[in-house]
Each structure stands twice: as structure tokens, then as C-alpha cells.
Amino acid sequence: MAELENPNVMTKFITFFSSLLRGVAESNDINCQFHLQKISVFHGLTRPTITIQSYLERIFKYANCSPSCYIVAYVYLDRFAQKQPSLPINSFNVHRLLITSVMVAAKFMDDIYYNNAYYAKVGGISTAEMNFLEVDFLFGLGFHLNVTTNTFHTYCSYLHKEMMLLQPPLNIDNGRSSLKQLQYLCFDEDETSHQKPQQQQPQQLAV
């Protein structure tokens, strides 16, 4: 997604990505009243006062990672949500999941990246906590960090189209997600075909 090199496009992406994460978190905040959810190292005692968009803007300002890292971070968050259905993204864990996913993506994608102590300062947490979050996130992903070219372009295409619409994901058939209907896209092992989701699953990120 070469367009992300354009600062104006990246600003629009951050706004859209933040809106998507906020929608997922708020949906799962409601669902937690009806479905048992585990407490993890990503879970804060209270909701952070900083908004998701302001937090993501802070990460973008100081992390200095390549634009592709944010696409890969999105892929990682989607995978995490699918692999860990008892740990859905909500208002108590979305910030820690976000900083961790971007850091892991930067380490995987970029030749030069900051260490955990730096990302901890950016994220407003301790280095020790950042280390714990990284380990738990990697295990939560099953160390599935590779993103194929096909998967990368699928997510880029989705994000590009939705940013052009300047609105949250639409309800479209053929696997596209609808936040309102709690649908999401899953890839099989070779990431080429779709599986139909369960309607009562927690809200997950999707393309």
C-alpha cells in the first residue's frame, strides 16, 4: 500500500483504524456483560483516559516504524482475536494490545527498530510490563508472525476501500466483516479461503 507513504493518507488511516478498534472495543464491552471473559496481562484496572486515536497518533509520532508495520499490526490483532476468543479486544486492553502489536510488527518488518524500553515509554508503561506483554502476545499468536503477500494485500485492499468511503466497515457479503452483525473473516492454513463465523462470538477485527 504505497499510498501510506503519503502523510495525508497515513493520517486518514490512523483515524479509520482508531475508529475500527473503538467500535470493536465498545461492542465487546457490551458483550462482556453476557459472556465470560478472561483477565490477561493486557487488561488494565481502569479504562485509559487517553483515546485510542490519540494513543495511536502518539505511537505513530514516536515509533518511527514503516507504514507497513501498521498493516501487519492490524493482521496480528485480527489473528490474536481469532486465536484467543476468551480474550476479546475491549476498552480495558485495547491500548496495550495496540502498542504491543505495533512493536512486534516493527521487529518483524523493519531492519532498524527501537528496543522494548523505548516502546514502553511511548506506550506509557514500564519496560518490565512491555516485556511481559510481548511474550504473551507472541504466545497468543502461536508465534504465527509471517504475513504472506496475499494476506498483506488483502488487508491493504480492504483498508484502502474503507478509507475511501470514510466510514466504518460496511455489511458486504463474501466474507467482508460487519461490526454490527459480529462477523469476521478467517483464513485457513494457507490463507486463501474463508470460513463462516459463529454469530455469538465476541467482536473481532476483520477484513
Side-chain angles (χ1 to χ4, degrees):
M1 197 172 182
E3 295 88 348
L4 286 179
E5 299 293 342
N6 184 323
N8 293 329
V9 175
M10 194 62 198
T11 298
K12 187 181 295 186
F13 167 78
I14 289 175
T15 299
F16 173 77
F17 192 19
S18 302
S19 176
L20 175 63
L21 287 171
R22 186 180 67 252
V24 171
E26 290 176 352
S27 176
N28 284 329
D29 288 344
I30 297 174
N31 288 342
C32 73
Q33 303 175 28
F34 309 101
H35 301 281
L36 181 64
Q37 298 181 7
K38 292 182 179 179
I39 302 298
S40 70
V41 294
F42 299 99
H43 198 99
L45 296 177
T46 60
R47 292 182 176 88
T49 56
I50 185 172
T51 65
I52 297 174
Q53 180 166 340
S54 295
Y55 195 67
L56 186 55
E57 288 172 346
R58 175 181 171 83
I59 294 172
F60 175 68
K61 180 178 180 180
Y62 294 108
N64 294 319
C65 57
S66 64
S68 297
C69 290
Y70 294 93
I71 304 296
V72 173
Y74 178 36
V75 175
Y76 289 168
L77 287 172
D78 202 10
R79 288 178 179 174
F80 187 90
Q82 293 172 22
K83 290 177 178 291
Q84 307 298 327
S86 62
L87 297 175
I89 296 172
N90 57 43
S91 296
F92 291 90
N93 63 24
V94 61
H95 294 75
R96 287 177 173 82
L97 284 170
L98 185 54
I99 185 66
T100 308
S101 64
V102 172
M103 184 184 75
V104 172
K107 289 185 175 184
F108 189 78
M109 294 291 294
D110 292 351
D111 294 328
I112 301 176
Y113 51 83
Y114 293 113
N115 59 23
N116 287 26
Y118 182 85
Y119 272 96
K121 291 181 179 179
V122 173
I125 57 179
S126 68
T127 301
E129 183 176 7
M130 188 78 260
N131 294 338
F132 279 120
L133 295 177
E134 180 183 28
V135 171
D136 271 49
F137 191 71
L138 291 171
F139 274 97
L141 289 174
F143 291 86
H144 183 196
L145 300 180
N146 186 52
V147 177
T148 66
T149 301
N150 179 61
T151 298
F152 185 85
H153 287 300
T154 297
Y155 278 79
C156 282
S157 177
Y158 164 76
L159 290 168
H160 179 72
K161 291 177 181 178
E162 296 301 336
M163 285 192 296
M164 291 301 99
L165 293 172
L166 291 178
Q167 59 187 27
L170 301 175
N171 180 21
I172 300 177
D173 295 331
N174 300 323
R176 285 275 291 279
S177 71
S178 167
L179 291 179
K180 293 182 179 179
Q181 293 193 6
L182 304 184
Q183 294 180 343
Y184 56 91
L185 174 67
C186 292
F187 290 108
D188 64 10
E189 291 183 357
D190 63 2
E191 299 186 337
T192 58
S193 64
H194 304 150
Q195 297 175 348
K196 292 183 178 180
Q198 296 291 329
Q199 287 293 326
Q200 297 301 319
Q201 292 297 319
Q203 175 62 58
Q204 303 183 15
L205 296 173
V207 297

